[in-house]
Amino acid sequence: MERWTHQPLVPPGTTDASIRAGLRDAKLVLLQIVTAQLTGEKRWLKASRESLESELFNLLVEHRATQATAASMEKSQLFQLLVQHAGQDMYDEALASMRRPLSQSAWDFLLDEMYGYPSCNADEFPLRDVKDFHVVICGIGVCGLAVSIRLKKAGIPFTVLEGSDGISGTWHCNLYPNVGCDTPTHVYSFASDPNPNWTRYFAKGHENKTYFVSLAEKYGIMKHVLFEHTVESARFDAASSCWEVAFHRGDGSTGCISANVYVSSVGMLSIPKIPQVHGESNFQGKQFHTARWDSNTSLVGKNVAIIGSGASCMQVAPSIAAVATHLTIFQGTPQWCTKIPNYKWEIPEGERWCFANLPFYERWYRFQLLAHFTDIYEEMMTAGSTVNSSLWDSLTKYYEHELAGHPDLLQKATPNYPPACTRLLVDNGWFDLLKRKNVTLISSHVSQLGPRSVIAGNSQKKEVAEDVDVIVWATGFRSTEFCLAAMEVFGVDGLRLREFWGPEPSAYLGVSVPHFPNFFLTYGPNSNVAAGGSIVWVAENQARYIEQCCSAMIRQRIKRMEVREDVFKSYNSELDKLQGTRVWSDKACTSWYKEGTGKVTTGSPWSLEEYCRRLRFLELRDYKVASNTEGP
């Protein structure tokens, strides 16, 4: 945002030809909004493409000559009208029919987005007296990077311990063919650091990694990261009010590092989950998880079994079927998926120029993608709502159309639970894949492996894939264990976090836990957004909150900060009550949102604007604090 308000709108070297080419590929609605904003005239919101391109060209040439800057977006007298005009057309008619006015919290959320989640303490940075304060972060995926950038901007010393040899988490570890993002690219990026160089509307894995690496380099994060340092345990020491974090290095040696604050950013989707299946060690072929892809194993001409039919399977299976002799898909639970028209499209060269150079174009595009999350998605994830019922009907008709003439596949592939009770996936050629002659869909859980076979079902009804050369496990991650899948955490008086949580992990705002002072999680319990958004959105909100906590400790000389148990219980009571109204409470819904006891421990029931509101400002009264002059 500051680029347009603090620097010339049009750099002097911009050519007439690049302006014309860019405007030619721009989206009409965005041309209307940008022109109306820059001129202050609402008539442009109804103008034709030809007149808009002509007017904007002249405006940009004029600004190139004057080197003028622009006023902030919300200072335009037309701002509310521009917001209304920016409403994104829905890909699904069931969603398009339902709209609601923006609430105050929705306005605050969208302005936070447009301004890149500005720090609440911006006027007081950089912080003073930080030399004796140190934060240790476990993990440098999306969330760990977000926290690192926030701390770097605040001038707070930190060290990152990363078990792998690279950054970007998911995008560093998941290297299977066609790996990519099911979230629109311009939302799957930090609002504070938009990427004008995306080549696709939905980026592939390598491009996501390049983006996150570029941010680490931009902010000088790399020098704070210790790669191939795997955390084994973190233990709070009451005498010093510090955390002792034990780790082992890639060479087998061990070490320990002390921290005033410890942040777990290992993520929900980092450690693969492979179900225990009878006879697993007897299988004589190759087997590996999608998140640990074996690029040395060729699938050409092989008989392949892929176990699991979620997002990873939908992405990788078409590539496997294209080269394998036969592919057998073992589907434990059918998934809802929908078609998104631009999912496979590249961004035209001209529009890439607009994202990088046309004033406010990228901000309004991102606004379009996020705005409908505030007026549709909460109702869509509400059990029995009109929107959810309409979407269910619409998706059922889509499945019937795509699998017409294949009643057996239709019966297997169609879920019996409401949409949004688990992640709504993108149709990546799924139905075309199922209809291929060299593909078999088995709709049963795998129960046993033989030396060259995969067996599903039970003794009454078994289905078997014979002569299997390779098994690909697309079975997800140990998502409901959070940081405990990776390490042991010990709080006050040696209390194990594993014992405190039991089978149902919970946290205040998804970031803090009583009896574990100076300890914060990112992407913790019940902070996986189900109401649209993305992990990047979660990361930015939680990182800002954690930075506020660290800054408050430094400014107010707090040595110990622990969420109050009554606040923790009250928050989770409110959360649990709301969870009961959501579609994933449906008994027919089986999902990685809820495992073990059946309680939802990953998904958030909050709307985006409500969760953003709760995280926007640190309420220090929610915490028990002890200053450096007090005892433990």
Side-chain angles (χ1 to χ4, degrees), residues 14-28 30-31 49 52-53 56-57 60 201 347-359 361:
T14 306
T15 66
D16 289 3
S18 64
I19 295 174
R20 292 189 188 280
L23 298 180
R24 206 162 38 238
D25 282 342
K27 291 178 172 58
L28 176 60
L30 298 182
L31 286 180
R49 172 174 286 277
L52 286 163
E53 288 186 27
L56 258 183
F57 176 80
L60 296 177
Y201 292 108
I347 302 172
E349 286 288 344
E351 191 174 21
R352 292 185 207 174
W353 182 91
C354 290
F355 282 122
N357 300 287
L358 184 57
Y361 186 92

Side-chain angles (χ1 to χ4, degrees), residues 390-504:
S390 298
L391 182 60
W392 194 343
D393 181 63
S394 176
L395 289 176
T396 299
K397 291 177 180 176
Y398 176 60
Y399 275 49
E400 290 171 347
H401 175 268
E402 292 297 310
L403 293 175
H406 299 271
D408 56 330
L409 287 176
L410 179 63
Q411 182 179 8
K412 290 179 180 180
T414 304
N416 65 347
Y417 55 80
C421 113
T422 187
R423 180 182 175 189
L424 184 60
L425 304 178
V426 178
D427 178 6
N428 188 48
W430 179 243
F431 301 106
D432 291 335
L433 170 75
L434 297 183
K435 291 181 285 188
R436 288 181 62 117
K437 292 181 179 181
N438 70 329
V439 173
T440 300
L441 177 65
I442 293 178
S443 190
S444 298
H445 288 282
V446 170
S447 56
Q448 184 176 347
L449 301 185
R452 293 289 302 278
S453 63
V454 180
I455 304 167
N458 51 44
S459 56
Q460 283 74 40
K461 182 182 178 181
K462 288 185 178 181
E463 295 184 85
V464 183
E466 302 282 7
D467 299 322
V468 176
D469 300 302
V470 180
I471 296 175
V472 176
W473 295 90
T475 45
F477 301 87
R478 294 166 64 183
S479 57
T480 58
E481 296 179 60
F482 302 96
C483 60
L484 299 184
M487 71 191 82
E488 288 284 0
V489 180
F490 300 89
V492 176
D493 297 327
L495 176 64
R496 296 175 72 192
L497 182 56
R498 189 180 304 277
E499 294 173 357
F500 177 74
W501 272 349
E504 299 179 350

Side-chain angles (χ1 to χ4, degrees), residues 507-522:
Y508 175 57
L509 300 173
V511 298
S512 59
V513 184
H515 309 295
F516 293 82
N518 308 357
F519 171 62
F520 302 101
L521 302 108
T522 59

Side-chain angles (χ1 to χ4, degrees), residues 533-592:
S534 72
I535 177 57
V536 179
W537 180 88
V538 175
E540 286 198 278
N541 277 274
Q542 293 181 344
R544 180 169 63 174
Y545 184 85
I546 292 170
E547 174 264 300
Q548 288 183 64
C549 293
C550 294
S551 295
M553 292 181 70
I554 294 169
R555 289 194 180 93
Q556 301 186 37
R557 300 182 61 78
I558 295 170
K559 70 174 182 179
R560 182 166 168 168
M561 180 176 181
E562 175 188 343
V563 66
R564 289 166 35 198
E565 191 142 15
D566 62 317
V567 171
F568 167 82
K569 288 181 178 179
S570 176
Y571 171 81
N572 280 284
S573 175
E574 188 179 0
L575 183 146
D576 290 344
K577 183 177 180 180
L578 188 59
Q579 290 282 33
T581 70
R582 300 312 190 198
V583 289
W584 42 78
S585 63
D586 190 297
K587 292 182 179 180
C589 174
T590 58
S591 165
W592 63 271

